[in-house]
């Protein structure tokens, strides 16, 4: 995964680990003016086309696996199942991304349609739609703020846990990556791990959680009902088809969706070139610019381009995915050196970030004492 070295604009010829500047000479209004007007248009018909397309592809994968893998000799079946899991998880991640667009009101001009589609898609993929929508919106409002961001808040040097030092070796990094990819999203939803520190326990299923405002609490309950409904449907499937069938056909692909989602967001927000800010230095546009695009190769298209249009997404989150590349290319000249895309192959990038991005500290000789950068152990 990842193109590993293509250069389509001058910024990619520079050292990819070179730090981004922190004081943009442009405004959000300047960026919006550079984008063609049609890129802001949301079409319920066009958006729905992608939902239907992905559902058809997902059904084809299901049909082929359910029909033909049981007919294969045992050794070949052991090879065929991982192929199915990868393919199905990939296309379902595309559906998850569309649900994420619904949360940003990028699916249509109608909030109710967006919420209905997003609720169904995310619930089916074991994601509490409204709960995640609101915490994710807080993340966009406070990106890379050490005090107020909702997720991927790095540790300062003095607070690096002892176990992090013990895991600072190749086997430890493998364990850390596997743990993050498999349990990171469920633990974030259940315990707010790696998220903002509140005065008390916070999770995404408690309507009284400090993550949410008073007006959001009823919709958190609706999210919980959606997850309970999917759990009940899964129970009925297990009774009808057996636990092994449900696990292979549905649960493992959904776990794959969560793994892809964590991998994508981890790489978007973890890079040696990206700053974090405390309250003395943070402002919205600084935070929004402190992200990086990534190249997942052919999966870019499967994931509806969420992987390599993330900088644009943090600046203007309501542009639908089918306009995102054009809008990204339109603002590149304005962004200049403030835009970065890292085309390092994904597995190599995962390893590098796990090794190099351990804690954050400000530069000792910098006048920006509230600006923090990643350092390795």
């Amino acid at each position: 995964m990842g193109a590993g070295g293509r250069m389509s604009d001058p910024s990619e010829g520079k050292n990819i680990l070179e730090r981004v500047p922190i004081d943009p000479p442009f405004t959000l209004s300047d960026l919006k003016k550079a984008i063609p007007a049609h890129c802001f248009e949301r079409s319920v018909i066009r958006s729905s086309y992608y939902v239907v397309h992905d559902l058809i592809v997902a059904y084809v994968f299901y049909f082929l696996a359910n029909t033909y893998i049981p007919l294969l000799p045992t050794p070949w079946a052991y090879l065929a199942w991982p192929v199915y899991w990868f393919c199905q998880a990939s296309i379902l991640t595309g559906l998850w991304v569309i649900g994420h667009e619904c949360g940003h009101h990028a699916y249509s001009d109608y909030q109710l349609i967006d919420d209905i589609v997003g609720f169904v898609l995310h619930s089916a993929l074991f994601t509490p739609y409204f709960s995640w929508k609101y915490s994710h919106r807080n993340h966009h409002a406070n990106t890379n703020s050490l005090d107020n961001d909702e997720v991927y808040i790095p540790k300062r040097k003095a607070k690096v846990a002892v176990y992090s030092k013990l895991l600072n070796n190749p086997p430890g990094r493998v364990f850390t990556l596997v743990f993050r990819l498999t349990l990171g999203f469920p633990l974030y939803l259940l315990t707010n791990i790696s998220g903002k520190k509140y005065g008390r326990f916070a999770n995404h299923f408690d309507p009284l959680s400090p993550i949410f405002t008073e007006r959001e609490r009823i919709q958190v309950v609706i999210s919980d009902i959606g997850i309970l409904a999917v759990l009940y449907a899964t129970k009925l499937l297990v009774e009808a088809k057996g636990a092994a069938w449900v696990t292979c056909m549905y649960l493992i692909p959904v776990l794959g969706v969560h793994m892809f989602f964590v991998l994508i967001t981890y790489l978007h927000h973890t890079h040696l070139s990206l700053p974090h800010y405390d309250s003395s230095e943070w402002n919205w546009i600084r935070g929004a610019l402190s992200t990086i695009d990534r190249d997942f190769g052919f999966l870019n298209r499967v994931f509806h381009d969420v992987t390599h249009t993330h900088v644009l997404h943090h600046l203007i989150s309501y542009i639908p995915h089918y306009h995102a590349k054009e809008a990204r290319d339109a603002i590149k000249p304005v962004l200049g050196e403030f835009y970065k895309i890292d085309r390092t192959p994904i597995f190599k990038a995962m390893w590098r970030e796990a090794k190099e991005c351990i804690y954050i500290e400000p530069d000792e000789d910098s006048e920006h004492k509230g600006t923090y950068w990643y350092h390795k152990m």
Side-chain angles (χ1 to χ4, degrees), residues 64-343:
L64 292 174
N66 189 52
T67 304
Y68 295 108
I69 292 181
L71 303 179
L72 295 174
T74 299
W76 291 105
Y78 287 149
L79 295 174
W81 279 117
V83 173
Y84 165 72
W85 295 332
F86 176 83
C87 293
Q88 191 68 292
S90 299
I91 202 68
L92 292 179
T93 300
L95 284 168
W96 193 98
V97 169
I98 293 175
H100 156 261
E101 283 201 348
C102 292
H104 284 290
H105 197 16
Y107 187 86
S108 75
D109 291 329
Y110 310 99
Q111 185 68 64
L112 180 61
I113 292 177
D114 288 24
D115 284 341
I116 290 172
V117 174
F119 175 74
V120 172
L121 292 178
H122 272 194
S123 296
L125 297 171
F126 285 101
T127 301
Y129 171 72
F130 290 107
S131 307
W132 190 83
K133 167 185 172 179
Y134 291 127
S135 69
H136 185 64
R137 188 172 291 177
N138 292 339
H139 161 61
H140 272 255
N142 299 281
T143 309
N144 281 31
S145 164
L146 292 174
D147 302 303
N148 295 306
D149 201 351
E150 284 288 342
V151 70
Y152 289 120
I153 303 174
K155 300 287 186 184
R156 303 181 197 191
K157 186 176 183 180
K159 295 186 177 181
V160 173
V162 173
Y163 64 79
S164 295
K165 299 176 182 178
L166 295 175
L167 296 174
N168 186 32
N169 51 65
R173 284 190 280 275
V174 170
F175 172 81
T176 300
L177 285 169
V178 170
F179 181 88
R180 176 178 285 120
L181 292 176
T182 56
L183 297 178
F185 190 49
L187 286 176
Y188 171 64
L189 294 177
L190 289 166
T191 70
N192 204 39
I193 190 172
S194 83
K196 180 180 176 180
K197 302 305 177 187
Y198 291 95
R200 66 176 182 85
F201 180 74
N203 74 35
H204 282 70
F205 300 99
D206 176 9
L208 300 178
S209 172
I211 297 172
F212 311 112
T213 64
E214 287 297 327
R215 68 178 183 83
E216 295 166 352
R217 302 198 190 285
I218 185 62
Q219 290 178 303
V220 175
V221 174
I222 295 172
S223 293
D224 293 346
I225 292 171
I227 297 296
L228 289 172
V230 173
L231 286 171
Y232 182 70
T234 303
K235 173 182 176 293
L236 295 180
L237 266 178
V238 169
E239 292 173 354
K241 295 291 222 173
W245 186 92
V246 173
T247 299
C248 288
M249 299 303 303
Y250 176 52
L251 295 181
I252 292 179
V254 170
L255 174 62
V257 172
H258 293 178
M259 292 173 68
F260 274 132
F261 163 66
V262 170
L263 174 60
I264 292 166
T265 54
Y266 171 69
L267 292 179
H268 279 156
H269 293 281
T270 309
H271 198 266
L272 285 170
S273 70
L274 301 180
H276 288 74
Y277 303 95
D278 67 19
S279 295
S280 69
E281 297 270 358
W282 183 88
N283 62 48
W284 182 84
I285 196 163
R286 276 185 173 183
L289 289 168
S290 300
T291 61
I292 192 166
D293 286 355
R294 298 282 188 164
D295 185 0
F296 276 66
F298 73 93
L299 287 177
N300 289 334
R301 184 173 181 181
V302 179
F303 296 160
H304 300 305
D305 299 313
V306 72
T307 46
H308 60 161
T309 61
H310 191 253
V311 176
L312 167 80
H313 175 65
H314 263 273
L315 291 164
I316 310 168
S317 60
Y318 52 87
I319 291 179
H321 71 268
Y322 40 83
H323 293 315
K325 287 194 294 183
E326 182 180 359
R328 175 204 62 193
D329 292 342
I331 65 173
K332 273 186 182 181
V334 182
L335 291 174
E337 60 185 337
F338 286 82
Y339 173 78
K340 273 205 171 187
I341 181 168
D342 190 339
R343 297 190 186 279

Side-chain angles (χ1 to χ4, degrees), residues 29-66:
S29 178
D30 295 329
L31 296 172
K32 288 182 176 179
K33 289 176 182 176
I35 298 173
H38 69 266
C39 289
F40 296 96
E41 295 174 0
R42 301 162 293 193
S43 166
V44 66
I45 295 176
R46 188 168 181 182
S47 296
S48 298
Y49 160 79
Y50 288 100
V51 174
V52 173
H53 171 274
D54 286 0
L55 287 172
I56 290 172
V57 174
Y59 177 78
V60 169
F61 287 150
Y62 155 77
F63 175 81
L64 292 174
N66 189 52

